[in-house]
Amino acid sequence: MQFQSTESYIAPADLTVAVNAAVALERPLLVKGEPGTGKTELARQVAQALGMDMIEWGIKSSARAQQGLYEYDAVSRLRDSQLGDPKVSEIGHYIRHGKIWQAFAAPERVVLLIDEIDKADIEFPNDLLQELDRMEFHVYETGETIRARHRPVVIITSNNEKELPDAFLRRCFFHYIRFPDPETLAKIVEVHFPQIKPKLLAEALTRFYEIRETPGLKKKPSTSEVLDWIKLLLIEDLAPEDLKADGGSLLPKLHGALLKNEQDVHLFERLAFAARGRR
């Protein structure tokens, strides 16, 4: 079974090729792209399409690679020893399985999502090289070696906020999710809102791309944000004419769903002021 677009997820041809190539090569798929382009959702859709469960490891700035393997809770063991608990003789009670261990131990093949790897320290990816390459790791406290029962499909996402080490990149199949063109974005919107009228969709996307391509914009609105915006347009029952820009304001209706900082709101206010001054 191969990954392809579904009724609820529109995947461009180059993305389906990348996913299926990574699965065939048994390499981690490294997916980059700006926030909101559906990188995390891709992993969920791959799992669904391939009939697999998904294990998700969301990376934080404080994350360490060791946490993905296991953690030894020495504090709890010390406390139990002071209380005379007999289970202290079995150290395995104090080994907490990380997401990678869970994926390796799963009875069937799973999708392992390592989400937003670029949030962690620069050495974080390199610290996972051997484990993801060999599909095994050693537990020093118990002396056992954990080997993957089934090689998981590994999908790693990055918002491109920092460069990843070359040694790590060499072991991955890479794909950059480009922002969808108007035709693809229209299909994505229709998947989520099949009841939307063509004229409203056309006008909404025209306004959206005008906003997104405005020079000087600090944060360009993403796919997830345009979906939120269109949902509000439908709730408010706005007509295509309501979305057209006028000289008084270049800000779109319900712009809080698209513009997420005051600098960008002020940018549109200044553009509207300048437009009035040229009249």
Side-chain angles (χ1 to χ4, degrees), residues 27-254:
R27 294 277 190 177
L29 174 63
L30 174 60
V31 183
K32 287 189 178 183
E34 57 185 87
T37 49
K39 299 184 295 297
T40 302
E41 183 60 25
L42 169 65
R44 298 190 179 102
Q45 293 295 328
V46 169
Q48 180 178 332
L50 300 183
M52 301 178 187
D53 291 333
M54 189 181 85
I55 295 175
E56 182 174 352
W57 184 15
I59 305 302
K60 300 179 180 179
S61 59
S62 59
R64 295 177 293 107
Q66 180 65 32
Q67 293 171 327
L69 305 178
Y70 70 93
E71 290 185 281
Y72 169 49
D73 190 356
V75 174
S76 292
R77 192 180 187 207
L78 175 61
R79 183 188 62 241
D80 289 346
S81 67
Q82 293 171 338
L83 296 174
D85 194 320
K87 73 177 182 181
V88 296
S89 60
E90 179 51 61
I91 196 171
H93 290 303
Y94 305 95
I95 301 293
R96 296 177 180 174
H97 298 186
K99 299 297 185 180
I100 293 177
W101 187 328
Q102 293 173 28
F104 284 8
E108 297 181 349
R109 198 178 188 193
V110 300
V111 171
L112 171 62
L113 170 63
I114 304 177
D115 203 21
E116 298 188 336
I117 196 172
D118 52 331
K119 281 187 176 181
D121 182 85
I122 189 62
E123 291 303 320
F124 180 93
N126 279 341
D127 291 342
L128 292 177
L129 285 179
Q130 180 171 305
E131 288 76 13
L132 294 180
D133 203 26
R134 297 183 180 179
M135 286 287 138
E136 65 178 38
F137 62 89
H138 189 70
V139 182
Y140 295 97
E141 289 79 3
T142 63
E144 61 183 323
T145 297
I146 304 300
R147 295 183 176 87
R149 297 177 63 181
H150 306 278
R151 179 180 284 268
V153 175
V154 181
I155 298 178
I156 303 170
T157 72
S158 168
N159 287 330
N160 221 12
E161 294 180 359
K162 68 177 67 167
E163 290 296 322
L164 298 173
D166 289 344
F168 180 78
L169 295 175
R170 282 197 299 270
R171 288 167 169 82
C172 297
F173 191 96
F174 172 77
H175 183 75
Y176 184 86
I177 296 183
R178 296 179 179 85
F179 193 82
D181 57 38
E183 181 180 351
T184 303
L185 187 56
K187 292 178 181 178
I188 292 172
V189 172
E190 288 171 339
V191 163
H192 288 82
F193 307 107
Q195 78 279 19
I196 191 169
K197 295 178 181 179
K199 288 186 178 180
L200 178 61
L201 174 59
E203 186 61 37
L205 293 187
T206 298
R207 289 290 288 129
F208 171 74
Y209 278 100
E210 287 174 354
I211 293 162
R212 182 175 164 81
E213 295 165 9
T214 299
L217 202 63
K218 183 176 180 181
K219 184 193 177 304
K220 294 183 178 183
S222 66
T223 307
S224 62
E225 288 158 342
V226 73
L227 292 175
D228 286 345
W229 184 54
I230 289 178
K231 181 178 181 179
L232 290 174
L233 299 182
L234 293 173
I235 291 173
E236 295 294 326
D237 197 22
L238 296 180
E241 297 74 23
D242 297 325
L243 305 184
K244 296 183 182 296
D246 56 53
S249 174
L250 295 180
L251 284 169
K253 300 286 186 182
L254 303 166

Side-chain angles (χ1 to χ4, degrees), residues 259-270:
L259 304 177
K260 297 303 178 74
N261 59 66
E262 63 277 13
Q263 295 96 318
D264 288 342
V265 173
H266 293 160
L267 171 64
F268 279 89
E269 291 173 343
R270 291 195 300 272

